[in-house]
Each structure stands twice: as structure tokens, then as C-alpha cells.
Amino acid sequence: MNKTKVILEKVAQLMLHLIFWLAVLIFYTYFFDAGNKSFIETLQFSLFLMPITIATTYISIYKLIPEYLINKRYFHFILYSTYTFIISAYLVMVSMFFSLIYLSNFQYEDMAPATKNVFFVLSAVYLVTFVAGSIKLVKINLNNIEQNALLKTKILQTQLRLKEQELNYLKMQIHPHFLFNTLNTLYGFALKKEDETPEMILKLSNLLDYLLYQTDKQEVLLTEEIAHIQDYISLEKMRFNETLKVVFNTSIEDENQKIAPMLLLPFIENSFKHGKIKNGFLDISINLENNVDKLNFKVENSADSLEIENKGIGLENIRKRLELIYPNKHSLTIKPGSTSFEIQLTLDF
């Protein structure tokens, strides 16, 4: 199929060239026929001039312009253009002698008026060369524009793939971190044969489904993220028993609002992992507000001032994901205090 397409393109190109040179021949014939008595003689002169014009034109558009002018090799362009002009001028002189000898029988006054002036004949030859060169330059510029557009598209596609790979890498770092903590909790319950173990397994199953199948999507419903946050909190409540105080307040105006999957849940996990039990309790406060064009999310947990600066890779990964997914559309503020750790996130939709 490709070979046939190439052959058809070559045939079409050949036909265009033939049509162009036929038009040039007609132009020469009528151009040099001014004041001449014999149309046949003018046609013969034009035919003799055609090889000179074709050679000069093809040297210009396939050698001088693409190799020297376009590549800004101006010295060589001027030098070889001069050589071309001298040779073509010489050949034009030969064509004029041809007209004098073979067409006018050495009778100068019988020559067509237009063929007596070498400057006039050269002007006709280089007019054709100029037109063909202009077409070549336009074609080269259009090809360059097309190539630049394709290159930009490839660059954008490459950048997009790199962003997707980086996002997947960040997700892969988050998921094992999240799973190991939850599985450790489940393992402790299984050892103690707690009655809550089946319920914990069910909630963990829901979270695993979310991790394995939903996070491959670009966006999920905000309500789905909230539901899995509630499942995660329920799992942690089972682990902490009476030592956990969690307040989770939500205000959702648009239930169809979507966000990137696993965007909020790691903040919650971070608060449990790095939170510190103070006065017998781990205090965690979560507030989530969503309206038509903005989401405000705040997580605060009790913490130890000695450990508050070391928060692992989780927050750094989330920061990178936000920069990739919501560039210039988010604000993340981390406020470490002497006895608490607070995170505030704002998303603009």
C-alpha cells in the first residue's frame, strides 16, 4: 500500500513538472513571437531555449536553494549562483547564434526582435527560474512549518508520557506504603481473633478495589474518595480502639465534582502514621468543603515537636502529583506546630 502511494506521488509530481514546462514553452513562444513573422521559427527558438531554462531552474531549486541558501551558506550560494549565471548566459548566447544561423540564415534583420537582445532573453530565462525558486521556497517553508508542528506534537506527547510515567511511579510509592500499614493492622486483629476482623477485611477489600481499579482513571467522583476515606478511618478506629479521636466534617455542594484518585487519602494516612498520642489520645481533625469551583481540605493531628520535621516521602509525593495534575490550580500549606501538624489544601476547578 505504501509503495503504491509513493509511486502515485511520483507520477503526480512528474505530471506537475510536465504541465509547468509546457506552460513555460507556451509562454516563451508568445513572448518571443512579438514582431516576428514566423510562429514556427519562434517555437523552434523556444524549444532550443528550454533545456537551458530547465537546467538553470533545476540547479537553482534542487542545489543552490536547499543546500546553500536555506542552510545559510551564503558565500557558496553567491559563488555557485555566479557560475550558474555565467554558464547560462553563455548558453543563451549560443541559442541566439542558433537563431541567427539556422533560423534567419545569417540575416540579422530577419531575426525575431525579441531574440536579438541577450538581456531580454536572459530576463525571460531567469523570470522562469525566479518563479520556480519562489515556489520551491514556499514549499520548503510549508514543509518546515509542518515538520515543526509534528515535532511540537511529538514533544508534547513525550512530555505527556513522561508525566504519566511519573504519576504512575508516585502512585506505586504511595500504594505499598498505604497497604503495608493496613495489612499490619489486619494481622494484629487476626492474631487476637477479634470479632471486628470480618468487617475489617470487607473494608480493606473495598480499599483494595479502589487502589487496583479506580486509581488508573484520571478522575473519580469526590464522593468516592470520601467514602474510601471513611473506610480507612473505620479501619484505623479498630486499630487504635479507645485511643483515637477523629472528627471528619464534610460539606459538598456538587456531588458530581471529580478529582484525581488517591489525592486526599494519603493526607489522612499521613496523619495516622506520623500522629502522636498526646494525653492518651491521637487527635485528628479533618474538614472538607467543596463548592462549584473550589475545594478546601484541612487535616490536623496531634504530633511530637521532635518528630514533626520528619514526615517521610508521602507528602513529597503528593506535592509532586499536585504539580503535575493541578499546575497553578492548587495551594498546599504545611503548618508544623509545637504539638500539632496541620495540612491545608486548596484546589481550583
Side-chain angles (χ1 to χ4, degrees), residues 259-292:
I259 63 169
M262 278 290 290
L263 191 67
L264 305 180
L265 190 54
F267 289 117
I268 310 298
E269 184 209 4
N270 189 77
S271 67
F272 280 97
K273 180 182 178 182
H274 298 288
K276 191 72 175 180
I277 295 178
K278 309 284 287 186
N279 301 320
F281 295 99
L282 171 60
D283 288 310
I284 298 177
S285 173
I286 307 167
N287 290 283
L288 193 157
E289 297 179 359
N290 166 245
N291 52 37
V292 177

Side-chain angles (χ1 to χ4, degrees), residues 182-212:
T182 307
L183 288 173
N184 284 335
T185 303
L186 179 60
Y187 177 69
F189 270 65
L191 287 178
K192 296 177 183 179
K193 298 182 179 180
E194 299 284 352
D195 294 338
E196 295 91 344
T197 302
E199 182 184 354
M200 192 175 188
I201 291 174
L202 179 62
K203 292 183 180 297
L204 179 59
S205 175
N206 292 334
L207 287 171
L208 286 174
D209 177 75
Y210 186 57
L211 289 174
L212 294 175

